[in-house]
Amino acid sequence: MKQLTWLIFILYLFITGCSTERPIYVISSSPHLQLPFKASKFFGFFDKNGINLQLDSVENSDSLLRFLNFSKYSVVLTDLKTARKLEKLSSKWQQICTIALKRNKEKPIIGEKEKFVLLMRDSLLKRHKDAVKLVEGWNYGVDLLKDPAVVKLLSAKEVPYRFFHCGK
């Protein structure tokens, strides 16, 4: 009986202890900003690299600051103005790169509300491998979105952003 108890206990530890995968929660001020991540996720990039990516969005950048739960999210995709507010509120957030510009009839508009950035929380930056894979997944998604069929598959509407590689 004692051996059976130990066997069940070891089996329980094996099942629950094998998953070291911690989810990476991403929030954005627009669902369209997530398209590169969605494309990479759809084509299996994050699964192949052992990253559990969870995507959430809010309707605009103003509600992003009210909605943001500082303990859950480790990545924010938002406009530059909101990013600066977030960095002032907490030193745990760092701007990593510019990810997009808002389009106006195929011409990018440049301003704080039209330039979009990726911010990472310091806890994710300490997980260097996951942070690098996240950026690689973004870049892979930007490349995938160059194909109009992928854009149509992931979004029924025209994409109002011009996406950029992060860190290149």
Side-chain angles (χ1 to χ4, degrees):
M1 186 66 176
K2 214 176 200 184
Q3 290 176 339
L4 182 62
T5 305
W6 275 105
L7 181 64
I8 292 172
F9 178 71
I10 290 171
L11 200 71
Y12 172 77
L13 286 178
F14 180 73
I15 292 170
T16 60
C18 283
S19 178
T20 59
E21 192 177 288
R22 290 183 281 176
I24 296 176
Y25 291 96
V26 178
I27 188 166
S28 69
S29 55
S30 165
H32 287 299
L33 280 174
Q34 299 174 350
L35 281 176
F37 280 143
K38 287 180 179 179
S40 289
K41 193 172 181 176
F42 182 80
F43 284 94
F45 178 87
F46 293 111
D47 289 336
K48 290 176 194 169
N49 288 288
I51 293 177
N52 179 3
L53 190 70
Q54 301 296 318
L55 302 169
D56 292 320
S57 67
V58 292
E59 63 257 5
N60 59 43
S61 58
D62 293 331
S63 58
L64 178 88
L65 290 173
R66 289 191 301 267
F67 184 81
L68 189 62
N69 177 350
F70 288 95
S71 63
K72 180 178 178 180
Y73 296 101
S74 52
V75 178
V76 175
L77 309 173
T78 191
D79 62 79
L80 186 58
K81 186 176 182 180
T82 306
R84 288 184 176 152
K85 285 181 189 176
L86 185 56
E87 287 174 311
K88 283 181 185 175
L89 288 172
S90 174
S91 63
K92 294 182 179 187
W93 292 98
Q94 290 185 17
Q95 186 176 321
I96 303 302
C97 60
T98 299
I99 56 167
L101 290 177
K102 196 167 212 163
R103 286 187 188 178
N104 182 15
K105 296 183 182 176
E106 296 301 318
K107 285 176 63 177
I109 309 169
I110 299 178
E112 281 195 333
K113 293 289 270 179
E114 290 82 21
K115 186 176 184 179
F116 297 86
V117 296
L118 183 145
L119 291 109
M120 276 191 202
R121 195 172 172 162
D122 60 356
S123 58
L124 178 58
L125 289 171
K126 290 176 185 170
R127 294 166 38 200
H128 183 71
K129 182 180 174 191
D130 288 344
V132 168
K133 288 297 177 190
L134 186 83
V135 170
E136 287 175 0
W138 173 270
N139 292 341
Y140 180 63
V142 170
D143 290 338
L144 288 170
L145 290 175
K146 291 177 183 174
D147 183 351
V150 174
V151 175
K152 196 166 206 155
L153 176 71
L154 297 173
S155 174
K157 299 178 183 177
E158 186 178 325
V159 180
Y161 303 106
R162 179 175 171 219
F163 294 110
F164 302 107
H165 281 125
C166 184
K168 285 189 177 181

